[in-house]
């Protein structure tokens, strides 16, 4: 697939939805073509001081292999399944669902921060951007964090 082509997401399930004050945490799971269980964790700050509104931090990893209990290691490990664009499409579908679940629409989200260390992550982020409504741009913050920002909310 080329960047921008739509890839149908895997079916996914919401397994956790916790809210406390201005914070929320949602976890979704899906199974990829290699039968790896992928976990998508979305941590939500409903009143981000930087973006002045709802901010999603998104992490995802293969939880089948038991890579590590250390979240930095676990969520920095890519799935290695050869279906990265379908995995990213599914992650974006989970983000859209979380936006709808918490705010009624993804349009209310001001920024999406993706956590990942893979060399191809910039390419994946460009693909993710194409899966979102118009107005989402890629921004580098503090030199290391690459985010998608809803310019309709600026």
């Amino acid at each position: 697939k080329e960047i921008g082509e739509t890839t149908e997401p895997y079916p996914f399930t919401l397994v956790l939805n916790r809210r406390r004050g201005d914070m929320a945490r949602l976890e979704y799971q899906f199974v990829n073509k290699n039968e790896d269980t992928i976990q998508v964790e979305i941590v939500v700050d409903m009143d981000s001081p930087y973006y002045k509104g709802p901010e999603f931090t998104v992490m995802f990893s293969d939880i089948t292999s038991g890579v590590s209990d250390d979240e930095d290691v676990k969520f920095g490990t890519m799935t290695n399944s050869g279906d990265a664009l379908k995995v990213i499409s599914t992650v974006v579908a989970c983000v859209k669902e979380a936006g709808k679940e918490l705010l009624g629409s993804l349009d209310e989200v001001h920024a999406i921060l993706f956590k990942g260390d893979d060399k191809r992550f910039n390419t994946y982020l460009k693909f993710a951007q194409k899966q979102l409504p118009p107005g989402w741009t890629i921004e580098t913050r503090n030199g290391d964090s690459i985010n998608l920002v809803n310019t309709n909310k600026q």
Side-chain angles (χ1 to χ4, degrees), residues 127-139:
F127 180 78
Q129 178 188 20
K130 298 291 185 186
Q131 308 302 306
L132 296 171
W136 287 87
T137 61
I138 296 174
E139 169 188 287

Side-chain angles (χ1 to χ4, degrees), residues 10 20 27 30 43 64 83 87 103 105 122 131 134-135 140 151:
Y10 288 110
R20 182 179 297 157
E27 289 181 10
F30 63 94
V43 177
T64 306
D83 61 347
V87 168
L103 302 164
S105 170
N122 284 340
Q131 308 302 306
T140 302
T151 59

Side-chain angles (χ1 to χ4, degrees), residues 54-89:
E55 174 184 284
F56 285 18
T57 300
V58 180
M59 300 164 280
F60 58 98
S61 70
D62 173 0
I63 62 171
T64 306
S65 61
V67 174
S68 173
D69 288 334
D70 180 331
E71 288 195 4
D72 287 335
V73 172
K74 181 171 73 171
F75 289 112
T77 303
M78 288 302 292
T79 65
N80 296 321
S81 62
D83 61 347
L85 295 183
K86 189 163 180 138
V87 168
I88 295 297
S89 285

Side-chain angles (χ1 to χ4, degrees), residues 115-135:
K115 300 286 186 175
D117 296 328
D118 191 274
K119 290 181 250 181
R120 299 163 290 189
F121 202 72
N122 284 340
T123 302
Y124 299 153
L125 197 58
K126 288 177 186 169
F127 180 78
Q129 178 188 20
K130 298 291 185 186
Q131 308 302 306
L132 296 171

Side-chain angles (χ1 to χ4, degrees), residues 10-80:
Y10 288 110
F12 57 89
T13 305
L14 177 66
V15 294
L16 177 74
N17 184 346
R18 284 200 186 131
R19 300 175 200 197
R20 182 179 297 157
D22 285 343
M23 301 298 288
R25 183 172 144 217
L26 291 88
E27 289 181 10
Y28 295 88
Q29 289 183 357
F30 63 94
V31 177
N32 70 5
K33 71 177 185 178
N34 290 347
E35 299 184 8
D36 300 320
T37 300
I38 310 297
Q39 178 175 305
V40 180
E41 181 177 345
I42 304 169
V43 177
V44 181
D45 181 347
M46 295 293 200
D47 193 23
S48 163
Y50 188 84
Y51 289 107
K52 310 229 182 310
E55 174 184 284
F56 285 18
T57 300
V58 180
M59 300 164 280
F60 58 98
S61 70
D62 173 0
I63 62 171
T64 306
S65 61
V67 174
S68 173
D69 288 334
D70 180 331
E71 288 195 4
D72 287 335
V73 172
K74 181 171 73 171
F75 289 112
T77 303
M78 288 302 292
T79 65
N80 296 321

